[in-house]
């Protein structure tokens, strides 16, 4: 068998056999198959797609390309959440402690931000001292101690994805559903989970811009997870406006603490509760998501969820004083309100534009090697449907220099539309699958 | 500009600008753009194609990626022929001296064989001492001395194609019309020619299997050549059965000498005359191809064409004694006839099967690094339409060992079909464009 024969078969639209996929993936990880053949195959997959069986096989092979986390010593059900990424999506940070406080283990491996999409790891690293690079033994030990731990992908886990993702990024082969699905699911399944809830974002600030494509991606993700014996549900959620009222790393940590204190913004709190309810249901702790709500609200009210967060931060080397003393988080020297140009009702807060503004303020990176400013971003964002008066701030911009502010300002201006008449706030959750 | 943006634009079906193509090709040749990005772009071009303008620009950029041959010191019109390759296609070897004997300069850069398709360079190298690696100065000097010279692609010519072709070969991106056209035409135009006749093969032994795809390729080749101010015509010719009666390197040199002696097989002689007539017409020496026939037949009858061949062989270091003493050419220790299993008329001599048989006898290579046996191959091939009696040889197999013969025999058997009733010989030339 030669790699180019496999590329040719995919190019011509044939499904690849388990043997062909195995030959290619193991050869690629071992270095026998060079990047240029993997790039050609990825582009052929972009055009020809993959059947559900092929996608499942590719996912399994990628998962098996390295170590997997052995969570068998943890008695509790192990449930995780994955979001396809959006602007202001800090949900994991409050969600994991909330769900852990119900007795579920949440072994969460997250990623870094790229482009307009933030990354949970970058947000956590704005907490002074917080370590995201843990060895599997420490990860398991923290999971046992407080029920959740949030780390980066370790070098030994899913090397196939590490290699393939870096290649896809520079060969214009990122937006392919089978490649996205195998990348996401191989990492999630390597965590040793029993179940997974997927938050598939849809809108101008998301990778999938239409409900139809978001649904296709959600169904493909669910299919692969279920084919590997995992309990999986998915919510398709709106990403036309940023989630919550903050975008930027330390700013989003503050909002996450507010959610755990029961005083977070309506939308980010609601999504946290809905996803948590899916997770308690996947764990078998509640018969359905609706039944979970009183339990979850109690965990917030009693401070149990917040306690788990503080313990996790401390166990991962972070300063848990940030909860009571927010000033311990990085803060920007410049804070400039952006005033409403007229009175009326907020019709759009474009997530894509706000994401670009945050990037230009210093909160994100365009290349994986860029450094980020943990304090930069936007806070006090208004939400679609809110009534505003001329001169009132629509957002506060946080940055290190006036240049950052002036560079970001056009994107901020582009984000907002204000109309004279009332606007109905759009739904947060578009579909449950 | 980043290479992946260019890949993405092609992936999404947009024509690339001259600037984008130039950025990519010059970056690739310089080594700034790695093979994996070129592989992804090649696969995107495979799926999305290229406009005639894009193909012409790509060809020009590839041609300009290295040196070009300066033929300005040669007063005669410079006309070449290119064949897309087939089984038993030895036409160049007699054609170049024949046309040169009419006063036209034929600066011919050829390739090596791969798979079932033979290569002119391999055939020439079966002549003891023949050198195909000449520097441009020697190439020009031989052209001036005898009117034709046949060499391999030198290192400084069209490095973009050298690099890209090797990459396409291992990434399943060979069969793409814009990539084929730019590969062929960049090399031909770098020879410093005024005109070109194309022999586009069509059938089971050719790259293009149907008249429609052969026509598409021919039109694309003509389009690029004419857009660069060259006179170009094309013949679409049959490649369902091998050309002539021999397949294999030294065996095809013998047949070429027979053509020059005026005693070659009907089909290979006829195609040589037709292509030569196109070339004298492109040179302006004859008003149309029909008018060229008496001139060309005279050049064969008087031995002038053969004299040019002998001179070229001698000037390129080869033994011109092979013309009068064919035993000076390599010959195989084993020669085994393959007998007709029944009497009747030859209905098929499948070029693909005969090509595979020649490969298995040792005449070809499956990888560019394989060694070939110059003496191996098939001779005395019957032609479609001929009447045969049971036991009469349909071909003679030439090989180094009995194992080669037994390995090749099934392909030989598969090649022939004999039917009871008469069979009309198929046309040799399908279309002139």
């Amino acid at each position: 068998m030669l790699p180019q024969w496999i590329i040719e078969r995919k190019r011509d639209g044939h499904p690849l056999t388990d043997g062909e996929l195995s030959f290619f993936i193991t050869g690629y990880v071992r270095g026998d198959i060079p990047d240029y053949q993997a790039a050609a195959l990825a582009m052929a997959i972009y055009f020809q797609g993959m059947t559900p069986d092929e996608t499942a096989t590719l996912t399994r092979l990628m998962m098996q390309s390295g170590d997997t986390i052995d969570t068998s010593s943890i008695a509790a059900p192990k449930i995780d959440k994955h979001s396809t990424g959006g602007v202001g999506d800090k949900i994991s940070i409050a969600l994991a402690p909330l769900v852990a406080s119900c007795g579920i283990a949440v072994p969460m491996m997250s990623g870094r931000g790229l482009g307009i999409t933030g990354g949970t790891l970058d947000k956590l690293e704005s907490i002074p001292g917080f370590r995201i690079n843990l060895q599997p033994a420490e990860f398991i030990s923290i999971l046992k101690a407080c029920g959740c731990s949030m780390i980066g992908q370790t070098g030994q886990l899913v090397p196939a994805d590490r290699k393939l993702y870096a290649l896809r990024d520079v060969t214009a082969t990122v937006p392919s559903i089978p490649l996205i699905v195998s990348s996401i699911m191989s990492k999630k399944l390597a965590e040793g989970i029993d179940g997974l809830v997927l938050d598939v974002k849809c809108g101008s600030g998301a990778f999938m811009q239409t409900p139809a494509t978001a649904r296709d991606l959600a169904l493909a993700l669910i299919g692969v997870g279920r084919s590997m014996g995992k309990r999986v549900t998915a919510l398709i959620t709106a990403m036309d406006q940023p989630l919550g009222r903050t975008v930027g790393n330390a700013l989003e940590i503050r909002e996450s603490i507010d959610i755990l204190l029961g005083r977070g913004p309506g939308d980010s709190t609601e999504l946290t509760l809905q996803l948590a309810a899916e997770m308690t249901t996947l764990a078998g702790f509640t018969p359905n998501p609706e039944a979970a709500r009183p339990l979850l609200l109690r965990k917030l009210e009693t401070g149990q969820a917040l306690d788990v967060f503080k313990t996790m931060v401390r166990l991962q080397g972070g300063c848990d004083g940030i909860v009571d003393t927010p000033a311990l988080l990085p803060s920007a020297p410049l804070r400039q309100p952006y005033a409403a140009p007229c009175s009326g009702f907020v019709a759009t807060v474009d997530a894509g534009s706000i994401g670009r503004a945050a990037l230009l303020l210093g909160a994100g990176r365009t290349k994986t090697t860029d450094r980020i400013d943990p304090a930069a971003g936007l806070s006090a964002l208004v939400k679609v449907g809110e009534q505003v008066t001329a001169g009132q701030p629509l957002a506060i911009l946080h940055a290190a220099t006036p240049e950052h502010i002036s560079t970001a300002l056009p994107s901020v201006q582009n984000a907002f539309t204000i109309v004279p008449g009332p606007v109905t706030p759009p739904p947060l959750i578009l579909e449950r699958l």
Side-chain angles (χ1 to χ4, degrees), chain A:
Chain A
M1 194 164 358
L2 285 177
Q4 53 266 47
W5 299 348
I6 296 172
I7 303 168
E8 184 176 319
R9 276 178 40 79
K10 177 47 66 185
R11 182 198 76 193
D12 294 346
H14 303 292
L16 300 181
T17 65
D18 291 11
E20 288 168 333
L21 284 167
S22 171
F23 173 86
F24 208 99
I25 296 297
T26 56
Y28 181 53
V29 172
R30 218 169 31 221
D32 297 344
I33 294 179
D35 277 335
Y36 54 78
Q37 291 185 314
L41 181 64
M43 189 59 87
I45 292 170
Y46 174 89
F47 280 101
Q48 296 287 11
M50 279 187 146
T51 67
D53 281 352
E54 275 181 293
T55 310
T57 301
L58 176 61
T59 306
R60 183 175 47 73
L61 288 164
M62 284 172 62
M63 184 189 80
Q64 292 168 346
S65 69
D67 296 342
T68 51
I69 304 253
D70 180 3
T71 54
S72 60
S73 64
I74 298 171
K78 290 151 290 265
I79 312 289
D80 194 8
K81 184 230 33 166
H82 178 81
S83 158
T84 59
V87 178
D89 183 1
K90 72 281 288 173
I91 298 299
S92 293
I93 296 158
L95 176 70
L98 171 59
V99 173
S101 72
C102 301
I104 293 165
V106 185
M108 198 177 262
M109 279 200 300
S110 302
R112 297 202 174 272
L114 191 63
I116 63 166
T117 299
T120 299
L121 297 183
D122 296 321
K123 293 168 196 178
L124 290 169
E125 282 190 333
S126 72
I127 302 172
F130 196 96
R131 292 181 298 118
I132 56 101
N133 294 312
L134 305 185
Q135 289 304 306
E138 193 178 4
F139 182 53
I140 295 288
S141 140
I142 293 172
L143 274 170
K144 285 182 181 168
C146 70
C148 63
S149 180
M150 302 170 87
I151 62 169
Q153 194 185 341
T154 77
Q156 295 74 36
L157 262 78
V158 201
D161 178 64
R162 194 170 273 256
K163 224 178 145 174
L164 198 53
Y165 193 86
L167 182 68
R168 286 166 57 210
D169 192 40
V170 292
T171 54
T173 50
V174 169
S176 157
I177 283 186
L179 296 179
I180 295 168
V181 167
S182 55
S183 174
I184 292 173
M185 295 303 282
S186 62
K187 285 179 287 191
K188 286 290 154 185
L189 295 168
E191 293 172 347
I193 52 172
D194 303 310
L196 179 67
V197 61
L198 295 157
D199 180 4
V200 179
K201 299 290 185 195
C202 171
S204 76
F207 187 66
M208 294 299 177
Q209 310 244 329
T210 67
T213 54
R215 193 168 204 276
D216 286 345
L217 176 58
L219 290 173
L221 288 163
I222 291 171
V224 166
R226 291 187 183 160
S227 82
M228 295 174 83
K230 305 300 173 187
R231 284 165 266 159
V232 188
T233 55
L235 300 183
I236 298 177
T237 68
M239 188 32 72
D240 288 308
Q241 62 177 330
L243 198 52
R245 294 196 184 269
T246 57
V247 178
N249 299 287
L251 295 167
E252 294 191 50
I253 292 291
R254 284 193 184 211
E255 182 175 320
S256 301
I257 294 168
D258 283 344
I259 295 169
L260 288 165
L261 287 165
R263 62 183 192 205
D267 62 339
S268 53
T269 300
E270 181 59 29
L271 186 55
T272 303
L273 289 169
Q274 295 256 11
L275 289 165
E278 296 290 342
M279 291 168 80
T280 59
T281 306
L282 286 170
F285 285 14
T286 50
N288 55 58
E290 295 70 34
R293 204 166 180 96
L295 168 71
L296 296 169
L297 289 173
R298 202 162 58 245
K299 295 293 177 186
L300 292 179
E301 284 158 16
T302 58
Q304 285 173 274
L306 186 66
D307 282 345
V308 171
F309 175 71
K310 284 168 80 169
T311 307
M312 179 188 73
V313 169
R314 200 172 54 244
L315 290 173
Q316 295 198 211
C319 166
D320 64 354
I322 55 157
V323 170
D324 300 312
T325 315
L328 292 172
L329 283 167
S331 64
L334 293 182
R335 295 177 186 211
Q336 182 172 311
Y338 173 70
C342 60
S343 298
F345 294 83
V346 178
T348 52
V349 184
D350 183 66
S353 300
I354 295 291
R356 275 184 292 281
L359 190 66
L360 295 169
L361 288 168
R365 50 173 82 80
T366 50
K367 296 194 298 291
T368 51
T369 49
D370 288 348
R371 289 199 60 147
I372 61 167
D373 176 357
L378 300 100
S379 66
L381 282 157
V382 293
K383 306 296 300 181
V384 171
E386 290 180 349
Q387 189 167 12
V388 294
T389 49
Q392 169 190 335
L394 299 178
I396 299 168
L397 283 60
H398 301 242
T401 70
E403 289 70 38
H404 282 90
I405 303 267
S406 58
T407 310
L409 212 52
S411 295
V412 175
Q413 286 165 338
N414 279 339
F416 296 98
T417 321
I418 294 172
V419 295
V423 173
T424 308
L428 178 63
I429 294 169
L430 307 178
E431 193 172 2
R432 177 175 187 261
L433 293 166

